[in-house]
Amino acid sequence: MIVVFGSINMDLVARVERIARPGETVLSRRADSFFGGKGANQAVAAARASRGGPVQVAMAGAIGDDPFGEACRKNLEANSVDGHALRVTDEPTGCAFITVDGSGENAITVASGANMALRSADLPDVLLSKASVLVLQMEVSIAENLDVAARARKAGVKVVWNFAPVPAIKERAAIAELLEVTDVLVVNEHEALAIAEIVGEPVDGDYLKAGTDIASSFGVTCIVTAGSRGAFAIAPDGSRVHAAARPIVPIDTTGAGDTFVGVLANGLAEGLEIGAAMERACAAASLSCLTAGAQAGMPDREALERHLAQV
């Protein structure tokens, strides 16, 4: 089983000619609503990739007692994500405000709401004991994430931690504490460089060197995603595995990183080697960019297998 501990949001998306600069207003014809939150996105991606396979997906998260919260709960259920560990709080359901420009690039502001009320205790031991992979992100309390990760490691569960969005951590000791309970760290180029800066590793803008230094310094497997350049897994001994990205013309890159993480978790839970798991994850992330919305383009298992079979 894959267990995702993390955020649940409703995404409000506006398409713009260009993303506004500070102090600037740009107009959009309309705003559309989509299901989101990095935790929920990763759970849905994992569940769709798992559908018809041997692995189940469950999620622990927090929602508000409001229409957005009920809609998000039903959406997880419709995507075969076990939601028995969802908690309804007095805080409003989280919302993300997203602008997407003509090239598919995006800018995102998140109002956390109920996500910051999520507690480690919301993930019961009986559910964690069934897991082979735990997936975490940075949109809920870091302290609660750390507690859940420590519990998972003690139970022999593989911890996959997506260091996104980059939190306001400035101390090497805080990063070390996080990585001590992590088996696989997933970052993009910018996140890899941000960690390297925090821990004082001089990498001169080289994201692969950053990933290598993180892996060797903290004894984790560091996966760096690099958009059209694919993804690189770097082991503590410095060895690398590369998975290529499929060439596409993106419509909306929102959720591509979450798709990668969810499908990677599925591959690891099904016993794939890291390279094969990343190949599937890169293909799924590419497919997700062909449809607007974080979850709308996430492929199911059948669509992913068809895509992987193409030369």
Side-chain angles (χ1 to χ4, degrees):
M1 174 179 278
I2 298 166
V3 173
V4 179
F5 181 87
S7 57
I8 302 170
N9 291 332
M10 185 65 78
D11 292 350
L12 303 177
V13 181
R15 293 195 163 274
V16 294
E17 183 177 331
R18 56 186 173 78
I19 294 170
R21 296 186 295 269
E24 181 183 25
T25 299
V26 297
L27 298 180
S28 175
R29 245 182 30 127
R30 56 183 282 176
D32 296 301
S33 60
F34 300 94
F35 296 107
K38 295 191 73 64
N41 290 346
Q42 292 169 10
V44 168
R48 290 184 185 172
S50 299
R51 192 171 295 158
V55 175
Q56 294 180 308
V57 179
M59 180 167 187
I63 54 177
D65 185 14
D66 51 40
F68 279 173
E70 179 62 12
C72 289
R73 184 190 65 77
K74 288 181 177 178
N75 175 65
L76 290 170
E77 183 180 278
N79 279 283
S80 303
V81 177
D82 183 334
H84 285 94
L86 297 184
R87 182 162 67 90
V88 178
T89 76
D90 292 334
E91 295 290 331
T93 300
C95 281
F97 306 92
I98 303 169
T99 51
V100 182
D101 70 15
S103 69
E105 289 300 320
N106 61 68
I108 305 173
T109 299
V110 178
S112 297
N115 292 313
M116 285 302 167
L118 181 63
R119 297 291 177 261
S120 174
D122 293 325
L123 175 54
D125 288 334
V126 67
L127 181 59
L128 188 59
S129 69
K130 299 176 182 178
S132 59
V133 175
L134 172 72
V135 180
L136 303 168
Q137 328 77 36
M138 305 300 286
E139 286 187 332
V140 300
S141 163
I142 295 175
E144 301 304 321
N145 265 338
L146 284 168
D147 191 71
V148 166
R151 289 169 55 201
R153 288 293 290 275
K154 186 175 181 181
V157 179
K158 184 184 293 292
V159 176
V160 176
W161 203 320
N162 179 209
F163 195 81
V166 176
I169 295 177
K170 299 300 181 185
E171 301 80 23
R172 179 186 174 92
I175 292 292
E177 183 182 13
L178 183 155
L179 293 177
E180 280 174 3
V181 289
T182 302
D183 294 292
V184 179
L185 178 73
V186 182
V187 291
N188 64 22
E189 312 104 299
H190 310 295
E191 293 151 4
L193 294 171
I195 295 176
E197 181 179 356
I198 293 167
V199 301
E201 299 285 356
V203 295
D204 297 323
D206 184 339
Y207 61 86
L208 287 180
K209 186 177 188 308
T212 301
D213 289 349
I214 292 164
S216 62
S217 296
F218 299 101
V220 300
T221 296
C222 182
I223 295 179
V224 183
T225 61
S228 62
R229 296 176 294 279
F232 302 83
I234 307 166
D237 65 4
S239 59
R240 294 179 186 174
V241 177
H242 176 244
R246 300 290 176 109
I248 58 162
V249 178
I251 293 173
D252 183 1
T253 60
T254 307
D258 295 333
T259 302
F260 179 92
V261 173
V263 177
L264 175 76
N266 163 261
L268 296 176
E270 292 192 9
L272 296 182
E273 295 294 331
I274 195 77
M278 286 199 307
E279 181 184 4
R280 289 173 60 83
C282 282
S286 295
L287 285 174
S288 75
C289 295
L290 301 179
T291 305
Q295 295 181 17
M298 291 176 173
D300 61 21
R301 191 181 187 91
E302 184 178 351
L304 179 56
E305 296 293 348
R306 283 199 308 268
H307 185 64
L308 286 166
Q310 296 173 3
V311 177

